[in-house]
Amino acid sequence: MKLLKLFRAFTEGMRNFSRNKWLAFATVSVLTLALYVVSATVFLGLTGRMIVDKIEDNIDINVYLNPDVSEENALETKVLLESTMEVESVTYVSNDTALEKFLSDSSGDPSILEAVEEIGENPLLSYLIVHASDSRYYESIAQTLESERFKNQISHINYGKNKEKIERLNRITSSVERVGLIIGIIFVVISVLITFNTIRLSMYSRQKEFEVMRLVGASNMYVRMPSIFEGIFYGTISSFIAIVLIFVSAQSITPLMKGIATEGMLMGFYWQYFWLMLLGILVFGVFIGVVSSFIAIRRYLKI
Amino acid sequence: MSKKVGVPILKFNKVNKVYSEDFLALRDINLEIMPGEFVSIVGRSGAGKSSLLKLIYAEEKPTTGELYFNGEDVSLIKRKNLPYFRRNIGNVFQDFKLLPHKTVFENVSYALEVAGKSNEEIEEEIPEVLTLVNLSSKADKYPNQLSGGEQQRVSIARALVHNPVLIVADEPTGNLDPSSSIEIVELLLRINELGTTIILATHDRDIVNKVAKRVITLDGGKIVSDKTNGKYLI
């Protein structure tokens, strides 16, 4: 009997949904928009985070060693640095490798080759490339390197050049995250309110029916069930439309992100998190739909 | 009063209904209605007829006093049990209160669906009821495709389908022309003959005189007369 009632409520919900096409359209549109805005904010936030991570990966400190430091000592310093918490990795580049790289970069420019030959010995210094685990740590890493322990091995550090870049990036990242969070919350609140109101309107237009249902002996739950199914339909349909819209937006902003993100990164991200995103939107959408229906119908069930 | 013996189907004991301080809808109602009776409740608009009926199907509760249905105090019924209680009573309203998006068949079957009846039972019972109200040929029509009299017969069919012990009709002919009104009253009389108690609220003199059964007259929320084989007084 329970199953029979549930099935009846389901078909009733379906009929309500398809009967009131305009209202269903309005509700689905609003809910879709809400889900889209919220998930787009989250999606862009995550993408932004990823881009920042990428840029951060490209930041490093080059530590130039004095010419009298042997390779053995250099490697010892490397290991020492790697053992500190703030450092993610250290790469050792010997002066020979540096020269090779320099020559290949200048791609056989005869005047450069000549100049190097003129000097007779390798004019370049060996250096360590230090990657921090977070861009905030460069400051303290630089301080460590300037301490007594390393001072006599090190010729110079090019941190100064990167310093401004790093600080600016840090500022931008944290403010983008804060603003994104605030905008996201505002949108969530607004969209929940609008969706709730639209569903309330649709319940309001049927208040006479609820009264009749109650008077012929329908229990509150029985009157309510079709509307809850309606809420589920609203949520499900809106979620699917929203995820398609995000796909379209991700695809259309990809060309605008040239230089910031690599080609296909955004779409790759989309497909990587597709199921998680769909599930999240679906749960959120159905939740708003059901809760709105549940609350909106309550006032008509007090007979 | 009634000459029948046994437990009254309805018993009002010193019932008062106050909506607001300066509006007393019902004053000191003492009344017994026995099973199988056909009772007309008459009075002007605002005399308290509707208030009296709302108390019966528990849409309102008495402010003071008690109301018993088959010996059970109605005001003690828990809210969640009201739907089950209401299935004992068939309601007929002036404005029919049909579900506009359901056919005649579906409107009647809805009352059975809410009670959890199986599809087989529904398929079996609805045609019987529709035959009784003479609407078998219109089962697939929607309310707006029917005349007022036909719509009211649908609502009577819906009220009947639970086999209720009591049918409460609040101005069932209020929106109908005289010949449709007569039809409805004859239908109610026929149902009464089959054993169902009927309470009919109306201010239509012709109807009351045609029924010529027990008549209770209300005025200003008070019972001013209660006569078997009564006539319309006011």
Side-chain angles (χ1 to χ4, degrees):
Chain A
M1 194 169 102
K2 277 248 157 67
L3 213 65
L4 179 70
K5 282 191 175 182
L6 212 61
F7 176 73
R8 279 175 182 159
F10 178 80
T11 39
E12 189 77 23
M14 283 276 264
R15 284 178 68 176
N16 287 344
F17 185 82
S18 57
R19 193 181 73 211
N20 235 327
K21 287 195 182 62
W22 262 108
L23 218 48
F25 175 73
T27 312
V28 167
S29 309
V30 169
L31 189 52
T32 303
L33 209 65
L35 290 173
Y36 170 71
V37 167
V38 171
S39 43
T41 312
V42 174
F43 183 64
L44 279 182
L46 288 175
T47 321
R49 184 73 242 168
M50 203 169 66
I51 291 170
V52 166
D53 282 349
K54 270 236 151 73
I55 296 173
E56 274 180 0
D57 279 350
N58 291 330
I59 296 175
D60 47 42
I61 305 183
N62 288 0
V63 182
Y64 293 93
L65 302 169
N66 282 328
D68 58 344
V69 176
S70 70
E71 182 158 340
E72 210 175 305
N73 283 344
L75 288 174
E76 255 170 48
T77 312
K78 168 177 142 72
V79 172
L80 208 64
L81 279 173
E82 274 174 338
S83 66
T84 47
M85 210 186 63
E86 295 98 333
V87 175
E88 188 169 282
S89 69
V90 181
T91 317
Y92 171 70
V93 182
S94 72
N95 57 351
D96 294 337
T97 322
L99 182 64
E100 257 171 52
K101 190 170 180 294
F102 175 68
L103 290 177
S104 77
D105 280 353
S106 49
S107 56
D109 186 331
S111 58
I112 289 177
L113 272 170
E114 237 168 69
V116 172
E117 263 166 40
E118 187 78 12
I119 299 169
E121 60 179 29
N122 189 345
L124 298 177
L125 298 171
S126 302
Y127 61 97
L128 297 169
I129 305 168
V130 180
H131 269 288
S133 49
D134 191 297
S135 62
R136 279 170 298 176
Y137 296 147
Y138 284 111
E139 184 83 52
S140 70
I141 292 173
Q143 270 166 16
T144 314
L145 289 167
E146 276 159 10
S147 69
E148 286 300 320
R149 200 148 121 232
F150 298 106
K151 212 174 174 182
N152 49 4
Q153 292 186 20
I154 291 169
S155 154
H156 63 279
I157 303 173
N158 78 338
Y159 171 63
K161 261 200 287 178
N162 285 338
K163 194 176 170 182
E164 230 172 278
K165 246 192 337 196
I166 293 169
E167 274 174 2
R168 216 172 60 200
L169 187 62
N170 272 334
R171 266 204 310 275
I172 292 172
T173 324
S174 54
S175 57
V176 161
E177 271 171 5
R178 207 173 316 134
V179 170
L181 191 71
I182 292 169
I183 291 179
I185 290 173
I186 291 174
F187 273 131
V188 169
V189 171
I190 291 177
S191 58
V192 167
L193 285 179
I194 293 180
T195 308
F196 174 66
N197 216 32
T198 313
I199 290 181
R200 233 177 62 153
L201 218 64
S202 114
M203 296 296 152
Y204 177 79
S205 74
R206 295 213 297 269
Q207 55 172 325
K208 273 233 144 48
E209 287 183 38
F210 298 140
E211 186 198 343
V212 176
M213 290 171 182
R214 293 277 293 143
L215 287 174
V216 299
S219 66
N220 276 350
M221 210 51 206
Y222 196 87
V223 177
R224 202 167 239 171
M225 277 314 284
S227 307
I228 289 175
F229 275 115
E230 260 183 275
I232 294 176
F233 298 148
Y234 290 141
T236 312
I237 295 174
S238 308
S239 305
F240 281 106
I241 300 177
I243 198 126
V244 171
L245 282 180
I246 291 175
F247 174 82
V248 173
S249 329
Q251 213 161 36
S252 58
I253 58 170
T254 296
L256 303 176
M257 308 240 317
K258 248 183 200 149
I260 310 172
T262 50
E263 191 101 6
M265 187 177 100
L266 210 54
M267 292 318 295
F269 193 62
Y270 178 84
W271 290 118
Q272 188 188 342
Y273 288 104
F274 179 81
W275 292 110
L276 194 70
M277 219 160 37
L278 182 62
L279 187 75
I281 296 176
L282 206 59
V283 168
F284 188 57
V286 169
F287 179 77
I288 297 184
V290 169
V291 168
S292 306
S293 301
F294 200 83
I295 297 175
I297 200 174
R298 212 171 49 172
R299 62 161 66 204
Y300 306 120
L301 297 179
K302 289 193 176 147
I303 307 165
Chain B
M1 287 276 195
S2 173
K3 293 163 197 107
K4 291 178 187 171
V5 283
V7 182
I9 190 163
L10 274 175
K11 182 178 173 176
F12 286 74
N13 185 24
K14 295 181 191 154
V15 169
N16 285 289
K17 179 67 192 174
V18 183
Y19 285 108
S20 62
E21 267 177 48
D22 51 349
F23 180 41
L24 257 93
L26 293 172
R27 284 180 230 209
D28 194 33
I29 303 289
N30 289 292
L31 184 62
E32 278 187 14
I33 293 172
M34 303 306 286
E37 276 196 277
F38 191 122
V39 181
S40 303
I41 296 178
V42 302
R44 278 189 278 255
S45 302
K49 303 189 296 287
S50 291
S51 298
L52 193 75
L53 299 193
K54 280 181 182 167
L55 292 179
I56 295 173
Y57 55 81
E59 189 176 328
E60 299 282 354
K61 285 188 173 173
T63 311
T64 59
E66 302 94 45
L67 166 59
Y68 299 94
F69 178 86
N70 269 340
E72 188 187 359
D73 191 338
V74 173
S75 59
L76 295 181
I77 298 172
K78 292 209 177 81
R79 260 193 54 162
K80 72 172 170 58
N81 291 327
L82 274 182
Y84 306 101
F85 168 72
R86 289 197 178 125
R87 290 173 203 165
N88 296 311
I89 300 174
N91 280 306
V92 179
F93 299 97
Q94 179 172 2
D95 56 356
F96 322 133
K97 293 205 194 296
L98 299 176
L99 297 168
H101 305 288
K102 289 182 182 292
T103 63
V104 169
F105 187 96
E106 289 164 342
N107 261 287
V108 181
S109 73
Y110 188 79
L112 290 178
E113 285 174 19
V114 301
K117 292 267 175 114
S118 72
N119 290 338
E120 293 76 36
E121 286 173 285
I122 290 174
E123 294 289 338
E124 197 184 301
E125 287 175 34
I126 307 281
E128 286 174 21
V129 168
L130 288 183
T131 309
L132 184 68
V133 299
N134 200 15
L135 276 174
S136 304
S137 60
K138 308 228 162 167
D140 297 328
K141 294 266 191 284
Y142 286 90
N144 62 6
Q145 297 170 309
L146 302 177
S147 72
E150 286 168 333
Q151 289 187 52
Q152 193 58 289
R153 278 187 280 150
V154 177
S155 95
I156 291 174
R158 182 180 64 190
L160 268 179
V161 80
H162 280 303
N163 291 317
V165 287
L166 172 67
I167 284 186
V168 176
D170 189 1
E171 301 274 8
T173 60
N175 284 355
L176 303 178
D177 59 78
S179 71
S180 301
S181 299
I182 299 283
E183 248 176 58
I184 294 296
V185 170
E186 282 173 349
L187 180 58
L188 289 175
L189 282 167
R190 200 161 355 121
I191 292 164
N192 179 239
E193 276 166 26
L194 296 172
T196 309
T197 311
I198 305 242
I199 298 177
L200 166 71
T202 184
H203 56 233
D204 187 322
R205 176 187 300 269
D206 296 337
I207 296 232
V208 175
N209 293 343
K210 178 174 169 53
V211 172
K213 299 215 172 190
R214 183 177 172 191
V215 175
I216 294 168
T217 309
L218 285 177
D219 192 27
K222 273 161 78 173
I223 295 178
V224 292
S225 89
D226 182 352
K227 294 212 169 84
T228 336
N229 292 319
K231 294 265 176 200
Y232 196 92
L233 287 179
I234 305 170

